[in-house]
Amino acid sequence: MSSKKQIVQCVPNFSEGRDLAVVEKIADAFRNTPDVKLLDYSSDEDHNRCVITALGEAKAMKEAVIKAVGTAFELIDMTKHEGQHPRMGAADVVPFVPIKDITMEETVALAESVAEEIAEKFGQPIFLYEKAAKTPGRENLAKVRKGQYEAMAEKIKEPEWKPDFGPTEMPPQTGVTAVGARMPLVAYNINLDSSDPEVADKIAKKVRHISGGLRYCKGMGVELKDRGIVQVSMNMTDYSKTALYRVFELVKIEAQRYGVNVVGSEIVGAVPMEALVDSAAYYLRLEDFTMDQVLETSLME
């Protein structure tokens, strides 16, 4: 291991977006841990989910994550959970991202260590996914989570879906958790002036890679009932290879066939500066522009 301070990002997703007191208590685990900085946390009532983004020293991040997961297990009851977003556990997914002076291999080792401790401390079934996956079939989170909470109790009893850590009996209150390591992900949603969920579903199908769309794009349609509109909700798993402007333009094109317009888009959680600068350079038609020209880049060196 490197002697330098190893910095990782963690973006855990918890299955609570309506009780803000619970969200705050989960966030406190990151807010109150030395050498960890809580960068952002957001909750959504329709998804009934909160996303936390934290940055910190690897060992301190492990401590904060285990505190947060324990709080979630204590305060969230999956037997009563309903929401638009796919989910399988109170602490649904816990991805670690290498940021500075830490390799992907070391980040995978960190993810494994956290997964093992969560399983032992709380009796929680844990899947390893993305770069931490032990088998190819578990790299894709969508495959791991297929069936969601409702089907997970039976799924983890199947030999091919035996958890990487923890029991094969699912605790009803906490469900199942996925822990992994990955490249920086951009959670990017595009809102449409339609109230028809089928339209969003059809557009998402055209955009996401698994059904013939853009590489490094995962997507689904979501209904935002409180706003009377629908959304194409996406995870961009490698923004450097599939840019945000590209998926924005493709959603616009596909929406036109239904007489639907884009009314806005949103980034959930933190986003690498390069992902936004890349899209700005495209729309402004900047020639030969590089990140070195961004003032903040030199300030951070």
Side-chain angles (χ1 to χ4, degrees):
M1 298 284 279
S2 171
S3 60
K4 295 181 180 180
K5 186 173 284 190
Q6 297 181 307
I7 305 300
V8 296
Q9 182 189 57
C10 190
V11 194
N13 289 218
F14 298 93
S15 296
E16 179 57 72
R18 297 171 184 170
D19 189 335
L20 297 185
V22 171
V23 173
E24 289 291 342
K25 287 178 181 177
I26 293 171
D28 278 343
F30 299 92
R31 192 184 279 124
N32 299 331
T33 300
D35 293 323
V36 171
K37 183 174 183 180
L38 177 63
L39 297 180
D40 181 82
Y41 62 108
S42 58
S43 55
D44 184 280
E45 289 190 11
D46 293 301
H47 289 198
N48 199 7
R49 187 177 188 83
C50 71
V51 178
I52 288 177
T53 306
L55 194 68
E57 190 273 328
K59 290 180 181 178
M61 186 65 76
K62 176 180 177 179
E63 178 187 339
V65 166
I66 291 169
K67 282 182 193 171
V69 166
T71 301
F73 289 165
E74 181 184 345
L75 300 178
I76 298 172
D77 187 350
M78 290 303 296
T79 65
K80 301 174 182 176
H81 185 273
E82 293 179 352
Q84 293 281 328
H85 200 288
R87 77 287 182 269
M88 61 183 180
D92 194 54
V93 293
V94 182
F96 292 91
V97 182
I99 299 296
K100 185 177 180 182
D101 294 322
I102 185 168
T103 65
M104 178 56 78
E105 290 74 19
E106 289 169 325
T107 306
V108 166
L110 173 64
E112 290 178 355
S113 175
V114 170
E116 185 174 20
E117 187 159 338
I118 291 172
E120 290 180 359
K121 189 169 185 177
F122 304 108
Q124 181 76 353
I126 306 285
F127 287 121
L128 295 173
Y129 78 106
E130 286 274 358
K131 301 292 186 182
K134 298 295 187 184
T135 57
R138 299 188 182 187
E139 290 177 357
N140 189 335
L141 178 62
K143 288 185 179 179
V144 173
R145 198 161 52 193
K146 187 176 181 181
Q148 297 194 53
Y149 170 80
E150 287 76 12
M152 209 53 61
E154 293 303 316
K155 181 175 179 176
I156 65 173
K157 292 178 182 177
E158 299 171 10
E160 63 269 35
W161 285 107
K162 183 179 184 293
D164 291 287
F165 295 101
T168 54
E169 292 290 329
M170 185 187 81
Q173 180 174 332
T174 60
V176 176
T177 299
V179 178
R182 59 164 173 76
M183 291 296 290
L185 176 149
V186 180
Y188 182 49
N189 303 330
I190 299 178
N191 297 332
L192 309 171
D193 64 353
S194 170
S195 59
D196 186 353
E198 190 176 352
V199 168
D201 287 337
K202 287 179 177 179
I203 294 171
K205 188 175 181 180
K206 293 292 185 182
V207 170
R208 65 182 177 235
H209 179 250
I210 197 171
S211 51
L214 296 170
R215 189 72 176 94
Y216 307 109
C217 177
K218 300 177 181 180
M220 65 178 187
V222 174
E223 185 179 7
L224 305 182
K225 291 183 179 179
D226 61 326
R227 296 179 60 182
I229 61 174
V230 293
Q231 176 185 87
V232 180
S233 179
M234 294 166 290
N235 281 339
M236 308 301 297
T237 59
D238 192 338
Y239 66 87
S240 68
K241 295 190 171 98
T242 299
L244 298 188
Y245 70 79
R246 204 170 297 150
V247 73
F248 181 81
E249 291 297 330
L250 183 54
V251 168
K252 274 194 353 185
I253 290 169
E254 290 296 333
Q256 286 174 2
R257 71 166 70 191
Y258 304 107
V260 170
N261 298 304
V262 170
V263 295
S265 68
E266 64 179 358
I267 299 285
V268 180
V271 58
M273 183 190 299
E274 189 175 5
L276 299 181
V277 170
D278 185 34
S279 290
Y282 171 80
Y283 285 112
L284 295 175
R285 300 183 184 181
L286 300 178
E287 297 180 2
D288 302 320
F289 186 82
T290 70
M291 280 293 292
D292 293 336
Q293 293 173 258
V294 178
L295 177 62
E296 284 80 2
T297 300
S298 57
L299 290 175
M300 291 185 295
E301 288 178 351

